[in-house]
């Protein structure tokens, strides 16, 4: 009774009389006007979206991915565009205490005006912006978002950073990109990368809306599970961040209900005016059996329906429906008998798990084209290839909510980088404040996802300083080291620890983990095989020779390039482009000497294609690069997997293999195993095999043939291998029951969307049935018409 009186009192003093409870939300998604800097180009464009896709959809430019259009359309990113529209407020503005304009994501540097009044400015694509527009909003409004070219802004920021330069200045010329990307908080690969084009977009890339509320408003709502060993009980931390606009504290009643776990608890809360948080600890009923969330291949991804009801008085009631997941994660760095250094592996729900997977890059240069279907297809392909993890690499974007939702459902563990890659970064006050807001927002947005198992500060920036990639004179190095520690330790790490104690944080990848910390966050050699993770690339040595690979604790990057299939390239090229040495083939290759490295590596084991027909020659070469890539990564991954249980000369105990890279951003040669659009390269079919839970690995060492049985299963199993091995002199031969062996059999159905159950295989049986899973309806006739069959025998 006392409580009810208190609530009524709070309402009486805090809210406007006669105003409705609950917030009013008005979406500003949909069609906007877009105008170029001098007004010469004016068009309609969708929000969420960007200038490039708007121009393309209106037919004002060609497909930006076609041939050399990334260069032709550079003018789009150099211009300063304006988005504008009018909108009617569908509610009586005078009835609300606070009205906010909320951008979930704005790309990137912009000034925002409503009815000619500047309401805010933005400079960070990864931040969420909320501007108070209570005093400017009317019944009919005009909103303008004036963008500044990201290229000009980055250049200007670099120029005004006078005390010292922050390298790199520009990407290597082969990338045909833009300079000073480290001076803008924007997708770092949007200024070009060694697998991607330069399309520094402008636009409103996520949701935008008006939110009006009285009393208080829920901004963030997060769940963090933990297991209390001593009590043998799960608990769930429920955190809610509110903006309280009432002039007096708001007292509320919060009820959390998880029916399947027979858990219901009610709490009384009090929020002072301003931004405040409620943290509730929900103890899960001990008599209920909690099914934990497991990575794919190790168990189910059980989640529990949960309802949280906030009764904040005066009929102001909010209900949140969510899924509660329970799992623990530890990054284990401890001494290993017989090996100097420390282990580096993940324990999920108390069980050591070998991490198998790849590295994720943005699925498109234009984020508004990354559809739900596309995400589902790529992520399903990830688990279909027996992967259990992906690293969201630090040169892209923090992915959209749906990406993490799907990973939760499929059991794909996520190593989440913060978005800094292959560069040094400034740390002046404005920049740091922007980064702090970004990190706080992203951790709050993402931390409820069980799929995320690690936060990692950056990609290769510890290595860049340790290896002095940017040739900084030794006497100038100190300032860069101080900046590094300031950014990734004193700011990012501090925020991560404050916001999320349930996951480990490492400062960089690769890093030596605890050893890097001991060496004041910057190891002499972050690639040390006795600590942390490593990245390893070697395009010259014979990739079939396992002795070239580092016997590391954790291989978080390694890879080889290949070309995407002809049907994928055909869409963005014309007849004169269809040869390995055409201008187009050179243009799409952003990794210096990449095309030659592929031929060199293929040439170590195969005769290079010689066909007199130029088109056939091009197709055969594409095929052979895929054979080479698949075989190289198979050899390397099998080496890492078999190194799990052994220590040789103090090295081993490998507990992770994430090859570089899973997906493609456009149609070009790259390290990817999935082409732009999702088509499987030969490597992806191979991954299905070399990541299988039970894997026989055969290798030769000093004249002896060893066969390792690698198992990710939770219990021991006895296996018999289905082959006879005979010795002939110095050679060993596997005698298989077949009449003719056909290597690297490759079925290709061109642009028909889908995948086979197996491909690129060594055909040893007389008869083998291959199944095709279409992703779209397709007829037998279409399949028959598109099918081409290649084997190594066909290219000679
Ligand atoms: C690693 C990555 C990327 C790059 C890849 C291939 O260093 O972190 O920066 O695309 O190598 O060169």
């Amino acid at each position: 009774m006392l409580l009810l009186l208190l609530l009524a009192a709070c309402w009486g003093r805090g809210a406007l009389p006669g105003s409705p409870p609950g917030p009013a939300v008005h979406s500003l998604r949909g069609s906007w006007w877009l105008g170029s800097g001098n007004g010469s180009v004016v068009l309609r464009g969708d929000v969420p979206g960007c200038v490039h896709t708007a121009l393309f959809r209106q037919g004002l430019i060609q497909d930006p991915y076609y041939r050399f259009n990334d260069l032709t359309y550079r003018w789009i990113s150099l211009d300063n565009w304006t988005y504008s529209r009018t909108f009617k407020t569908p509610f009586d503005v005078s009835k609300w205490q606070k009205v906010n304009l909320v951008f979930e994501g704005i790309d990137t540097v912009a000034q925002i005006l409503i009815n000619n009044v500047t309401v805010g400015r933005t400079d960070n694509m990864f931040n969420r912006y909320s501007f108070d527009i209570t005093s400017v909003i009317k019944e009919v409004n005009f909103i303008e978002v004036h963008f500044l070219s990201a290229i000009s802004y980055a250049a200007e920021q670099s120029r005004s950073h006078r005390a010292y330069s922050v390298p790199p200045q520009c990407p290597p010329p082969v990338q045909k990109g833009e300079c000073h990307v480290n001076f803008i908080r924007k997708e770092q690969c949007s200024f070009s990368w060694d697998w991607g084009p330069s399309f520094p977009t402008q636009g409103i890339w996520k949701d935008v809306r008006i939110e009006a509320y009285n009393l208080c408003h829920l901004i963030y709502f997060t769940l963090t599970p933990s297991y209390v060993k001593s009590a043998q009980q799960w608990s769930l931390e429920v955190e809610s961040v509110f903006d309280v606009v009432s002039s007096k504290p708001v007292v509320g009643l919060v009820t959390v209900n998880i029916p399947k776990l027979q858990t219901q608890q009610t709490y009384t809360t009090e929020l002072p005016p301003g931004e405040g948080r409620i943290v509730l600890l929900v103890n899960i009923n001990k008599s209920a059996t909690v099914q934990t969330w497991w990575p794919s291949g190790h168990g189910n991804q059980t989640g529990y329906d949960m309802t949280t009801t906030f009764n904040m008085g005066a009929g102001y009631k909010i209900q949140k429906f969510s899924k509660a997941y329970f799992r623990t994660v530890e990054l284990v760095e401890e001494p290993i008998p017989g090996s100097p250094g420390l282990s580096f592996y993940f324990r999920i729900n108390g069980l050591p798990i070998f991490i198998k997977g790849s590295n994720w890059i943005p699925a498109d240069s234009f984020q508004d084209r990354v559809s739900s279907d596309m995400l589902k297809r790529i992520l399903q392909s990830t688990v279909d290839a027996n992967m259990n993890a992906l690293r969201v690499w630090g040169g892209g974007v923090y992915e959209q909510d749906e990406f993490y939702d799907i990973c939760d459902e499929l059991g794909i563990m996520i190593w989440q980088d913060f978005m800094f890659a292959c560069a040094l970064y400034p740390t002046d006050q404005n920049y740091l404040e922007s980064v702090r807001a970004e990190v706080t927002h992203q951790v709050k947005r993402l931390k409820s996802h069980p799929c995320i198992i690690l936060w990692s500060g950056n990609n290769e920036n510890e290595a860049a300083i340790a290896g002095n990639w940017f040739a900084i004179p030794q006497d100038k190095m100190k300032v860069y080291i101080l900046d590094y520690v300031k950014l990734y330790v004193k700011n990012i790490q501090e925020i991560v620890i404050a916001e999320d104690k349930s996951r480990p944080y490492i400062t960089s990848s690769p890093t030596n983990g605890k050893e890097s910390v001991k060496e004041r966050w910057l190891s002499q050699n972050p690639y040390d095989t006795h600590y942390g993770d490593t990245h390893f690339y070697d395009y010259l040595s014979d990739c079939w020779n396992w002795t070239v690979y580092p016997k590391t604790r954790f291989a978080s990057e390694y890879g080889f390039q290949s070309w995407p299939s002809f049907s994928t390239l055909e869409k963005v090229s014309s007849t004169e482009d269809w040869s390995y040495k055409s201008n187009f083939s050179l243009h799409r290759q952003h990794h210096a000497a990449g095309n030659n490295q592929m031929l060199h590596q293929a040439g170590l084991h195969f005769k290079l294609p010689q066909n007199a027909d130029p088109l056939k020659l091009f197709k055969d070469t594409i095929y052979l690069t895929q054979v080479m890539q698949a075989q190289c990564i198979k050899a390397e991954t099998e080496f890492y997997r078999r190194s799990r249980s052994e220590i040789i000369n103090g090295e081993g105990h490998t507990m992770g293999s994430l090859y570089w890279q899973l997906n493609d951003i456009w149609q070009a040669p790259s390290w990817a195993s999935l082409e732009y659009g999702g088509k499987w390269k030969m490597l992806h079919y191979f991954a299905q095999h070399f990541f299988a839970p039970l894997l026989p690995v055969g290798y030769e060492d000093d004249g002896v043939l060893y066969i390792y049985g690698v198992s990710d299963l939770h219990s021991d199993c006895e296996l018999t291998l289905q082959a006879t091995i005979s010795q002939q002199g110095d050679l060993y031969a596997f005698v298989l029951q077949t009449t003719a062996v056909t290597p690297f059999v490759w079925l290709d159905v061109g642009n028909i969307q889908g995948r086979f159950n197996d491909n690129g295989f060594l055909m040893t049986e007389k008869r083998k049935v291959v199944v095709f899973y279409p992703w779209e309806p397709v007829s037998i006739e279409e399949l028959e018409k598109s099918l081409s069959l290649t084997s190594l025998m066909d290219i000679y």
Side-chain angles (χ1 to χ4, degrees), residues 175 193-196 359 361 391 393-395 417 421-422 459-460 469 509-510 527 535-537 539 557-559 561 591 660-661 671:
Q175 287 181 203
W193 212 260
D194 62 0
W195 35 255
N359 284 268
I361 63 158
R391 169 170 170 247
W393 165 78
D417 280 3
C422 302
N459 175 72
E460 297 184 343
W469 291 3
S509 174
Y527 297 90
H535 295 186
F536 180 76
Y537 294 93
Y539 308 113
E557 270 192 32
Y558 56 98
Q561 282 199 335
H591 168 60
W660 185 266
Q661 68 201 64
W671 294 257

